[in-house]
Amino acid sequence: MELVIKNGKVVMPGGVFEANVAVMNGKIVSLGKTELKADKIVDAGGKLVLPGLIDSHSHIAQPFQGALPKETWETGSVSAAFGGITTVIDFAAQFDPITYEKLGVMGDIKRKEEIAGKQSVIDFAFHGIFVDFSDMNAVLREMEEVVKYGYPSFKEFMTYLLLAISDWNLYLMLNKSREVGATVGVHAENYSLEEGMVKKFVEEGKKEPKYHPLSKPNLVEAEAIQRAIILAEWAKSRIYIAHMSTKEGVELVRNARMRGAAIYAETCPQYLTLTDDLYERPDGANFIISPPLRKKEDNEALWRALAEGYVALYGSDHVPLPSEAKMAAKSFNETPNGAPGNELMLPILYSEGVNKGRITLPRLVEVSSLNASKLFGLYPKKGLIAPGFDADIVILDHKLKRKVRLEDLHMDIDYVNWEGWELTGWPTMVISRGTLVIEEGQLVGKPGHGKPVRGKTDEEIIKTVR
Ligand code: URP
Ligand code: ZN
């Protein structure tokens, strides 16, 4: 064998087992108790052995709303790896975010595959994003092309000036997604309501960060989620609600799933753990993300939904915008949206989820890895520790307690929204296709190791997502 990981507790969807994991040619070849010879033997020493995380929502090195990150695909993939992530699903949009040149989704995929292919230390895939709907036939044709190329997923904005899709165009995309076997996601916020609220606050001179959540109360998300669900049911397609933040959203997804609709939801560490009182802080602008942070009761509803199966995906929505760009804005509505966090993905999910009894270890594996693999066409390469799958593995020291301090992290950014949190459970080793990326907490991976992961969805496999 190339590599054997012994003395670990291997986490599978069906339970936790003591087994040695053997790797050959970058793939897992066996799990069992037999002692095997190998070029490299890793003694996991009773720690947890998990499939590498698949970050279902990542914006590595991406400028947004005029703000430019310092992050590159190299540094962004390194911080992801430190967060236990072995595959990022990033985004390919129609326009270059700096020059606004129209590249098409396929053009952006090719551009990003080249950059990430040279710089990334972990594997990557893309969701397509369409924002120009002036020729819908061209959009639908390109959707087909993107799926054939190997990226069977899309995310569309129901909000943001110049980016939002109309209901009819979303319905057309959902119809096409059913025909071609794609999964469409939505950023669900009602743009008209939000725009009206923003205008009202700004006219009243209410420009501080605390007006950001007030301009987009829970119902702004809930209305858009309900509309997206109705459109998906009408088109007999599936849909996923990206970065869901509200207890009302949980109710709507639960009701839809109870009547058998193929509705999935994703949430993020920030919506599980942070609350809207943070907007009152002097650095409140750093928490301006969309949807906004909510209340404790929303956090808890999302944790319950994650445990019960109504939230199936856990993504970072990592947006590496510098604090300088966020704090410089004169009003909450001019603050570029998004905040970084991929490096804390696994520590937050383990510490706040498993360690506090909110989710089980097998459920952690489903929401952070297996479900994204199934919904976004990475199955059966990624998402499980099982023979035939890529040897993407994380060893988690589930007893290691550490305070979050920006200076200890690897994200190329000047703030972290969990500064000072004490988290239990940190990755100590991260392996991508059998190659060590992080060893004893140190980076050993090389830029250019990461490869595009192209595939297709399997309708029968998707039915098993819960
Ligand atoms: O505030 C956020 N989430 N910014 C990133 C773009 C998006 O909506 O995903
Ligand atoms: Zn979004």
Side-chain angles (χ1 to χ4, degrees):
M1 295 297 147
E2 260 163 28
L3 170 70
V4 167
I5 302 167
K6 61 176 199 177
N7 299 330
K9 296 190 178 107
V10 181
V11 186
M12 320 269 271
V16 183
F17 305 92
E18 280 173 20
N20 301 329
V21 183
V23 175
M24 194 68 195
N25 298 325
K27 300 247 180 224
I28 296 163
V29 288
S30 72
L31 289 172
K33 296 267 163 130
T34 319
E35 288 279 336
L36 293 166
K37 291 205 173 100
D39 298 344
K40 183 165 177 80
I41 297 199
V42 169
D43 187 344
K47 298 189 188 87
L48 298 175
V49 179
L50 311 169
L53 270 61
I54 298 171
D55 184 355
S56 57
H57 196 134
S58 158
H59 299 270
I60 288 187
Q62 192 197 292
F64 196 59
Q65 296 176 322
L68 302 177
K70 259 176 76 196
E71 180 175 275
T72 60
W73 262 89
E74 181 175 337
T75 55
S77 66
V78 166
S79 62
F82 275 101
I85 296 162
T86 50
T87 307
V88 281
I89 312 185
D90 216 86
F91 293 95
Q94 281 170 302
F95 292 88
D96 182 291
I98 298 174
T99 62
Y100 300 112
E101 183 197 348
K102 189 163 179 184
L103 305 166
V105 171
M106 275 311 302
D108 203 28
I109 286 174
K110 299 272 173 68
R111 180 179 78 94
K112 285 196 168 149
E113 278 191 344
E114 197 181 327
I115 300 172
K118 286 188 186 130
Q119 299 186 13
S120 184
V121 300
I122 54 171
D123 288 348
F124 50 86
F126 299 96
H127 303 292
I129 299 183
F130 290 94
V131 294
D132 176 0
F133 306 102
S134 54
D135 181 351
M136 266 318 277
N137 288 332
V139 167
L140 301 176
R141 268 198 310 275
E142 197 175 3
M143 267 181 87
E144 223 169 311
E145 204 185 328
V146 171
V147 174
K148 272 204 190 111
Y149 186 76
Y151 296 128
S153 57
F154 300 88
K155 179 194 163 198
E156 293 302 316
F157 294 107
M158 296 174 82
T159 187
Y160 293 133
L161 183 66
L162 304 177
L163 303 181
I165 189 168
S166 71
D167 296 344
W168 176 247
N169 288 338
L170 179 56
Y171 173 69
L172 293 179
M173 283 190 70
L174 288 166
N175 266 309
K176 178 56 82 177
S177 72
R178 186 199 60 247
E179 280 168 35
V180 299
T183 304
V184 172
V186 281
H187 176 137
E189 289 186 290
N190 180 312
Y191 181 61
S192 168
L193 290 178
E194 165 192 337
E195 193 188 24
M197 293 292 278
V198 166
K199 192 161 172 284
K200 174 178 153 340
F201 283 132
V202 172
E203 276 170 9
E204 290 167 1
K206 296 172 174 165
K207 298 184 177 178
E208 299 90 321
K210 69 177 178 194
Y211 292 102
H212 176 63
L214 296 175
S215 73
K216 298 167 176 236
N218 287 29
L219 290 178
V220 166
E221 180 180 85
E223 188 283 333
I225 290 178
Q226 179 65 90
R227 197 158 21 106
I229 289 175
I230 289 171
L231 293 175
E233 289 192 80
W234 187 25
K236 297 191 171 43
S237 70
R238 65 176 160 270
I239 199 166
Y240 79 97
I241 312 302
H243 45 46
M244 193 165 78
S245 67
T246 58
K247 61 182 187 322
E248 289 81 357
V250 168
E251 265 326 291
L252 293 167
V253 172
R254 177 186 285 125
N255 291 341
R257 287 186 66 92
M258 298 285 249
R259 57 179 185 267
I263 311 298
Y264 302 91
E266 170 195 73
T267 196
C268 313
Q270 47 276 28
Y271 301 119
L272 290 165
T273 59
L274 304 179
T275 45
D276 61 1
D277 49 311
L278 293 162
Y279 292 113
E280 305 265 0
R281 284 185 8 180
D283 62 346
N286 286 345
F287 297 89
I288 293 194
I289 57 174
S290 282
L293 300 176
R294 308 291 184 184
K295 306 274 182 217
K296 194 91 206 113
E297 65 216 54
D298 295 290
N299 302 159
E300 290 308 328
L302 288 164
W303 277 117
R304 279 195 301 277
L306 210 55
E308 290 167 0
Y310 301 111
V311 171
L313 297 164
Y314 175 69
S316 69
D317 198 3
H318 168 84
V319 189
L321 303 181
S323 171
E324 195 189 350
K326 294 175 78 75
M327 301 287 283
K330 292 196 179 63
S331 177
F332 71 89
N333 62 313
E334 290 169 9
T335 309
N337 283 210
N342 61 6
E343 190 160 355
L344 297 174
M345 282 287 277
L346 183 52
I348 289 176
L349 192 60
Y350 185 83
S351 190
E352 293 295 302
V354 179
N355 209 35
K356 295 199 172 164
R358 289 168 165 139
I359 58 167
T360 62
L361 263 175
R363 186 64 185 151
L364 177 145
V365 162
E366 286 176 337
V367 300
S368 66
S369 194
L370 184 59
N371 289 344
S373 171
K374 290 176 175 176
L375 278 166
F376 303 131
L378 309 182
Y379 193 91
K381 286 183 200 144
K382 307 285 188 190
L384 266 187
I385 297 190
F389 279 73
D390 285 358
D392 290 355
I393 297 169
V394 178
I395 299 184
L396 182 79
D397 186 344
H398 53 295
K399 296 192 179 141
L400 183 62
K401 254 193 195 113
R402 201 189 285 156
K403 257 205 173 125
V404 175
R405 297 188 321 164
L406 182 64
E407 68 220 64
D408 297 333
L409 298 178
H410 303 81
M411 292 188 288
D412 192 5
I413 196 84
D414 54 350
Y415 64 107
V416 57
N417 284 341
W418 290 268
E419 182 74 47
W421 280 56
E422 187 166 87
L423 299 177
T424 304
W426 292 80
T428 52
M429 184 171 282
V430 176
I431 297 163
S432 160
R433 284 179 280 106
T435 299
L436 267 58
V437 181
I438 312 284
E439 187 173 18
E440 300 303 334
Q442 299 298 316
L443 177 70
V444 292
K446 297 271 178 297
H449 166 81
K451 295 262 176 296
V453 195
R454 303 188 202 108
K456 58 182 183 170
T457 53
D458 176 328
E459 298 300 315
E460 290 309 307
I461 289 294
I462 288 182
K463 285 187 194 143
T464 66
V465 171
R466 48 158 244 114

